[in-house]
Amino acid sequence: MAEELAHLVADVYEAAGALRRAGEALAGAEGQTQARWQLMSVVCEEPLPVARAARRLGVARQGVQRIATGLVRDGLAEFQDNPDHRTSPLLALTGAGQRTLGAITGRADAAHQAMGEGLSEHDLAAARAVLQRLTRQADDWTDTASPARGARPHAGTVSTGEEGV
């Protein structure tokens, strides 16, 4: 069992790398990075403070702040007043940001069709269920493990670069 799980973990890391490369190619076709794409996706339906967007992405606020500032500088997003917190503005997409996100998402839809060729919806649902359960169990183990057993900080406590978002 442990050996098969170790192989699955290695496969997940390999798949994550391949999907990250694909995401960079999709976003790059529109002059963006995967990190910018992910942040635009998080704030596309409702403006969010940078800290909340970072929590949803599971990464450090500082990295998200840097990306948000770049999106604002490039006219793809804007900071809006936050009625709930004067010093924590909301990040919202501009019309240009919505159009850019739409273009990337359209490319992603076509890519997902190609990547999913030959996979049934049942297979995909089963794979998702296993990965979701494994994720929960890994989080539970991390939350209860002692430092001697290799417990690590949550993803949100690690400062990441733009490519890690």
Side-chain angles (χ1 to χ4, degrees):
M1 171 71 155
E3 185 176 337
E4 278 304 309
L5 183 56
H7 290 302
L8 175 62
V9 169
D11 291 343
V12 167
Y13 284 135
E14 186 175 353
L19 292 169
R20 211 173 5 265
R21 290 186 299 276
E24 285 295 342
L26 290 164
E30 297 298 327
Q32 302 303 312
T33 64
Q34 181 173 333
R36 287 174 140 226
W37 176 19
Q38 289 175 338
L39 182 54
M40 287 190 289
S41 293
V42 166
V43 300
C44 73
E45 291 184 12
E46 78 171 307
L48 295 174
V50 167
R52 189 172 320 148
R55 280 193 301 276
R56 286 193 54 194
L57 290 167
V59 297
R61 183 200 56 78
Q62 295 86 347
V64 174
Q65 181 66 58
R66 189 178 67 253
I67 296 164
T69 300
L71 290 171
V72 169
R73 178 194 64 232
D74 294 344
L76 299 173
E78 62 186 4
F79 287 116
Q80 301 174 344
D81 289 337
N82 183 346
D84 296 327
H85 198 283
R86 188 174 44 101
T87 61
S88 184
L90 301 172
L91 181 68
L93 291 185
T94 62
Q98 290 284 359
R99 288 187 296 279
T100 299
L101 178 60
I104 297 169
T105 302
R107 288 179 186 278
D109 289 345
H112 291 156
Q113 282 293 124
M115 289 179 209
E117 190 69 33
L119 300 174
S120 72
E121 286 189 31
H122 179 298
D123 289 342
L124 292 172
R128 288 188 65 222
V130 168
L131 287 174
Q132 289 166 354
R133 182 173 176 192
L134 179 59
T135 300
R136 280 191 309 276
Q137 289 178 197
D139 284 343
D140 290 348
W141 180 88
T142 302
D143 290 343
T144 60
S146 70
R149 288 183 57 195
R152 291 179 212 113
H154 292 286
T157 62
V158 177
S159 180
T160 62
E162 181 170 309
E163 58 281 346
V165 173

